[in-house]
Amino acid sequence: FFSMSLFPFPNGRGQGKQQRSGKQWASCIASAYVAASAAFSVSALYQSSIPAKFAPNRMLIDHFTGESGEAKSTGENRRLKSKEYSYEEVKRKMISGEPHDFEVFEHFIADHSAYRCYQDSHFTPFNTQVRGVNIGGWMVLEPWITPSMFYQFLGAAEHEAGLDMYTFCEVLGPEEGNKQLRRHWESWVTEEDIRVLAQEMSVDSVRLPVGDWQYKPYGPYIGCTDGANDYVKQLMDWAEKYDVTVLIDIHAMKGSQNGFDNSGQAQGLEWTSVVNTWPMGLTTFLHWPIRSAGWLGVFDKINLTVPEINHDNIQHSRVNLGGWMVLEPWITPSMFYQFLGAAEHEAGMDHYSFCEVLGPEEGNKQLRRHWDTWVTEEDIRILAEEMSVNSLRLPVGDFMYKPYGPYIGCVDGANEYVDQLLEWGTKYNVNILFDIHTMKDSQNGFDNSGQSRNVEWTSVVNTWPVGLTTFLHWPVRTAEWVGIFDRKNLTYPVINYDNIQHSLDVIQEIVDRYKSHPAVLGLEPVNEPWEFTPIDTLKQFYWDAYIIVKRGATDWKFIIHDSFRFDVDIWGGFLDGCPERAIDTHIYQAWQRPASRITFYDNACSQKQAIAKMEAAFGPVVVGEWSLATDNCVMWLNGFNDNEVGFPMLPCKFVPCAEPYMGKEQPGTPVDPGKPLQGPYGSGISGPSFGYCPVDRDWMVERSGDNRGGTDWAHAPPKANPNQDATDEVMTNLARRKLDAFSGIGHGYYFWNFKTELSEGQWDYMRAVRRKWIPGKGSLLAERIQNACHREDNGGYACVTKPGVNEDFLRIALKGCLKQDDKNQSYIENLNGDELIQEGDTIFNSFWKRANPNQDATDEVMTNLARRKLDAFSGIGHGYYFWNFKAELSEGQWDYMKAVKRGWIPGKGSLLAERISHACHREENGGYSCVVREDATEDGLRDGLKYCAWVENKDQSHIDSLEGDELRAEANIEFSKFWKEHKVEGATCDFGATAMLVLTNVTDGDDEFMDMDEWADDMVFAPAGYSNSSIIATLLIGIVGGGFIGFLIAMKTNPKFNVKVRKSLFPDNRNSKIFTSRNSLFGGEDMPLIGDLK
């Protein structure tokens, strides 16, 4: 057809009308066929290894992935796009002496060139299922397993019989009990047992039940179980010797987790001998009818509940110990009242200027008084025992470990107080996360960095009133930890590597000092580096800090701050594969605009999505700081005697300033009730006035009655009347949602702060617990917390008519909705009052839901689920009965009639319809394939193939010669084949973390049902195959090649076409042998000469 378009056939008279003979048409068709064949042949070169059925899909997906079947990486932020290796490959490179930038740690290798780690394959998922046994009755006695240990108690009187591990030690006492237990431990499990299990019985793993008392003895276990862990260590050595893994199973909990004797204590047992009348003298007890379990708390046997959780056994909350080692004026204003009314350069506004103004001697004197009183052992006890706190984030200053400037001498002795805190942590079972809160020259310009940078004194420019002392901070804020900041371009032209090295030296000091302390959880190397910090510089710092921590304290957690950039494109892939790392993000609502309750609730719950995305892209997420504040009111929150421009957005409530916590000997305290607001004055207003200090506003009952969506509280006075105060209600509901969001998806949180001098609970965890906003002794698994975001999680919003709306405006809006839906609008004019409001609720909600279809997948899920259930229940058995025909409340899940109306179940339709009878096609046909992971290394694939060959006793010699696409193709075939043949024996699709299961539709017959629902639900396409350039090349080659071949065929078979071409294109060589010889490509000997043609 290409040839025809270029060279139209003339008729015999040379006129314009075109007529084509059968011979001419045959010529055309032959040309087209050859062109298509050429295109097909060329394209086959690109897809010889791809099943034809899937090639178009792969080509389509390549358009989105950008390169040949390789998805774009979220790790593009890495410093160097270096090759990724396997753990074994890295070890070989290091042993061979090849140039490398690797460092070996226990169980992983750090790649300094790529900011990632490689895990030892022994610590990745293994390829076969566990074939194991329990080592029961050894560390935790169970009478039915080792009755010989309990025969001695037959015939015993009440309270003299050992019925479980607890009473065994209780009755025998520590000395005799330990003597018998050691005899038992030596003989019940022996090395020969482990050898026989491993070598003669194919056991590759053992599950070892242990008691919690082995690690923290209590009650009768103290002394009785001494030495138990030595025997466990011996078992570990035997296991290593015979290549057996050990799963530690904590089988017994304090107070018993189930009431069985296997928990260490048959809880709930009562002696009943006194009620026996005949025969006399029987010793009896009761257990099963009154069995209980006291681990979580006292069990209510009537209601089958645990009314009050025992948090001596379970703890869950975490808080910050802010304002202690690093001063922040808004947390402890009593330390800064002394600077009210000060002249320029004589006011302490942060930790740095506090020491600078007071000098080392007076500064240290006041700080020691502060350290003695702000955090006490009683605080830690209350947090741990009464408020369920199990971890403390401790902000510390870099100046505590390498003092500089005014800190020298001023902060002497700080580390001894930290040492004391760690001892309290050990005593009350609370761990400590070190958070380096300050950096030399400030990492963010806030006072929480130790130094507010920059502060410019502006008193000289004041013309009226005369004598005011003023300063500027927020408009000129900067941060110079990593270098001199260019405010115009928002960049760092020169990096200050001396400051960065100073910070790394501080980290080394902390690691060296505390690496062996059992109370330390880990370290956060810098708090809140601001968003202008160069990301490459920050990542390099994080990496260097991580290496320092792992070299000295291998078990510490390492937590990085997101630099106010909680973005998966920035952090995804960073520190990939590195153990014990997490990312910290700080989530506050205090700087949001005033809004309704539901806006704050929704915002709190919406954090789940962002946290979940980061968990998937980077790894563990910790919300290192959050509070319940919904305004900016608390005094000095934005700096001493200062505020950000525009804050606070609403008038604040004032309360009497607090009495100094360290005693009235503190200079400047108490606040003078006779003085108004005093200087020095910043760019905003915040400070004590006539003895009163600003704090958070109250929430109020909405006058409109719309307590969820109303904003009357924002226009009301900041202090609520008692009968209008809704603060407790709002804060409780907000706290539940935040706890649900932060503990339900991520890896935990730390409330800011454990206490403050002024806040009424919004920033004060201990006050919030006392006001019952946050549960003290209460589990985060409590339903009211776990389901706090249920409406937000389930998309359970409704768009309803706003109370008090003008009816005319409402009618206009309703007509607009109906007009867009092309529905009748005339009846709207006849509606009034409640009838109009109800119609508005219905129309608005329906319209809104259609405008937001992506939020509700219920119809899709229920339809697909119903099809599968109908297929399962009607395809094999003799029918079914759906429960129920209807229900008042269910939206269809329990209501057959509603389900039919919503299209979930076919009303008029046969159950033999293909979409139902084939609904379970994937499950019935086993449509899973074991395929090679895209990131699998070639060495890993070879090891996997050798494993398959070894198991099946096949030749392995050819495997080392495979590479590239040939290796991956071979692995895809062999892995899938091996997994399908051996999965019943326990094989998994892993092969050393080089393979994974994917769903594919393996039914290729004509009867395979496919519609859009099934397509969306079932189909999986793996990106591989074409790139854009290959598509274009294939098309061009096909068109040009096919056209040229078609042209040759036309020249050989069509004399008139041949003559026309020769006359028009080659007039000087029209009778050349190129066109008229027997073997010519462009004609033949039967082609007429041009001169003979009339």
Side-chain angles (χ1 to χ4, degrees), residues 5-26:
S5 66
L6 292 178
F7 309 107
F9 297 138
N11 61 20
R13 299 180 181 85
Q15 297 171 354
K17 185 178 180 181
Q18 298 181 358
Q19 297 176 341
R20 295 171 174 80
S21 67
K23 186 175 181 180
Q24 291 170 337
W25 277 111

Side-chain angles (χ1 to χ4, degrees), residues 160-176:
E160 294 180 8
L163 307 176
D164 46 42
M165 185 92 181
Y166 187 94
T167 52
F168 178 94
C169 287
E170 188 176 43
V171 170
L172 296 180
E175 185 175 349
E176 178 61 22

Side-chain angles (χ1 to χ4, degrees), residues 601 628 726-739 768 771-775 784-785 788:
Y601 297 163
L628 292 174
T727 305
D728 287 342
E729 176 189 352
V730 174
M731 290 296 104
T732 301
N733 286 319
L734 184 59
R736 289 174 183 171
R737 284 163 171 79
K738 292 195 175 190
L739 291 170
R771 293 189 67 169
K772 303 189 185 308
W773 298 351
I774 295 175
R784 65 181 57 194
I785 292 176

Side-chain angles (χ1 to χ4, degrees), residues 381-432:
R381 186 198 66 77
I382 291 172
L383 288 168
E385 295 184 350
E386 299 180 16
M387 297 184 175
S388 306
V389 168
N390 67 351
S391 187
L392 301 170
R393 181 171 177 261
L394 175 64
V396 296
D398 62 334
F399 47 76
M400 294 164 55
Y401 305 94
K402 292 184 72 67
Y404 52 89
Y407 295 120
I408 297 173
C410 185
V411 296
D412 287 356
N415 290 323
E416 284 70 29
Y417 286 91
V418 173
D419 295 343
Q420 179 62 71
L421 175 70
L422 293 178
E423 297 309 310
W424 294 338
T426 302
K427 180 176 180 179
Y428 295 107
N429 198 26
V430 174
N431 60 49
I432 311 298

Side-chain angles (χ1 to χ4, degrees), residues 322 331 373-375 379 753-757 763-766:
I331 297 177
T373 52
W374 185 242
V375 175
D379 290 328
N753 191 27
F754 83 111
K755 69 179 179 182
T756 63
E757 272 198 278
W763 296 93
D764 188 318
Y765 184 85
M766 299 177 80

Side-chain angles (χ1 to χ4, degrees), residues 17-72:
K17 185 178 180 181
Q18 298 181 358
Q19 297 176 341
R20 295 171 174 80
S21 67
K23 186 175 181 180
Q24 291 170 337
W25 277 111
S27 168
C28 295
I29 294 170
S31 301
Y33 178 79
V34 172
S37 300
F40 181 83
S41 300
V42 173
S43 68
L45 297 175
Y46 287 88
Q47 58 168 346
S48 58
S49 63
I50 303 173
K53 175 181 177 182
F54 297 107
N57 298 328
R58 296 184 179 208
M59 186 190 307
L60 178 66
I61 286 180
D62 254 357
H63 178 70
F64 295 100
T65 57
E67 298 179 3
S68 182
E70 189 172 320
K72 290 181 179 177

